[in-house]
Amino acid sequence: MTIETRRERERAQREQMIVTAARELAEAEGWEAVTTRRLAAEIEYSQPVLYSHFKGKGAIMTAVAVQGFEELAVEVRAARTAARGTREALAAVAAAYTDFAQKRPALYDAMFTHAVDLTFASPDGPAYLRDGFDELLQAVRPLAGDDDPGILTETFWAGLHGIAMLERSGRLPAEAHDHRLDLLVGRFAPAAG
């Protein structure tokens, strides 16, 4: 192994350590607690070392969001492909999506509610931004009929996002979560009669 290869590996490990520390701190105490000073202390490196990897908190949050998009796509794909039938796939995707948002609120916020340096809704955007949406699209497309599958998927996604955020904020009671998902799925994929 060359010295340059070792340095690149060590740099990647430090970047991952920073991102992991930011995620853990945000999940434990919220994004307000994530500062470059606090992260530097958490990872036991100086702030200049942290800034040699990221321009600041926004860049760190963007890196966290990227990981989140990758993880969400994997979880939604696993749910969709394990389901039998169109309606079951849609229900599985809905459950996986809202579970992801519920179990990782700070990560979900980095992905969808905080300003991050990512270009959304662009066909030539990075794959990690398209993959999760494409999984939702795969579940919705068979139900589109004459509707535009992309817009129908956006509408379904908006419903899932709304449920996740309104329940988390306490504006909708969490005990009706499964009923809400059933209603949403039922509007997109009525049960065979």
Side-chain angles (χ1 to χ4, degrees):
M1 170 185 314
T2 67
I3 292 174
E4 188 62 33
T5 303
R6 182 177 51 82
R7 285 184 182 151
E8 288 174 17
R9 186 186 75 235
E10 289 170 351
R11 180 172 179 77
Q13 288 171 338
R14 274 192 310 271
E15 282 183 11
Q16 184 55 51
M17 190 181 341
I18 294 165
V19 170
T20 299
R23 279 182 71 164
E24 290 171 356
L25 186 56
E27 290 297 350
E29 299 180 33
W31 280 107
E32 304 78 30
V34 179
T35 64
T36 54
R37 176 174 287 156
R38 181 94 182 263
L39 285 175
E42 290 285 328
I43 64 168
E44 299 177 344
Y45 281 98
S46 68
Q47 281 184 285
V49 169
L50 193 132
Y51 281 114
S52 74
H53 292 276
F54 296 99
K55 290 180 182 176
K57 180 178 174 176
I60 295 167
M61 194 178 296
T62 297
V64 169
V66 167
Q67 282 187 351
F69 287 115
E70 292 168 344
E71 292 170 20
L72 178 61
V74 167
E75 290 186 25
V76 171
R77 180 179 305 114
R80 181 184 61 78
T81 59
R84 293 184 179 166
T86 302
R87 188 174 204 284
E88 293 77 11
L90 192 66
V93 162
Y97 185 96
T98 56
D99 286 349
F100 181 93
Q102 178 190 29
K103 291 176 183 170
R104 301 173 191 88
L107 177 59
Y108 190 82
D109 285 348
M111 296 163 63
F112 294 114
T113 66
H114 290 289
V116 291
D117 189 21
L118 297 170
T119 303
F120 293 92
S122 172
D124 56 339
Y128 57 79
L129 287 178
R130 292 189 318 267
D131 290 346
F133 183 81
D134 288 346
E135 289 303 323
L136 293 174
L137 180 64
Q138 292 299 317
V140 172
R141 180 180 275 132
L143 305 163
D146 294 335
D147 292 325
D148 178 295
I151 293 174
L152 190 61
T153 302
E154 291 170 354
T155 304
F156 183 68
W157 175 27
L160 295 175
H161 177 73
I163 288 169
M165 294 304 292
L166 290 169
E167 286 178 356
R168 193 170 96 202
S169 69
R171 287 170 175 82
L172 294 177
E175 58 270 7
H177 174 79
D178 291 340
H179 187 64
R180 280 188 202 94
L181 287 188
D182 289 342
L183 286 172
L184 181 63
V185 168
R187 294 299 185 251
F188 281 82

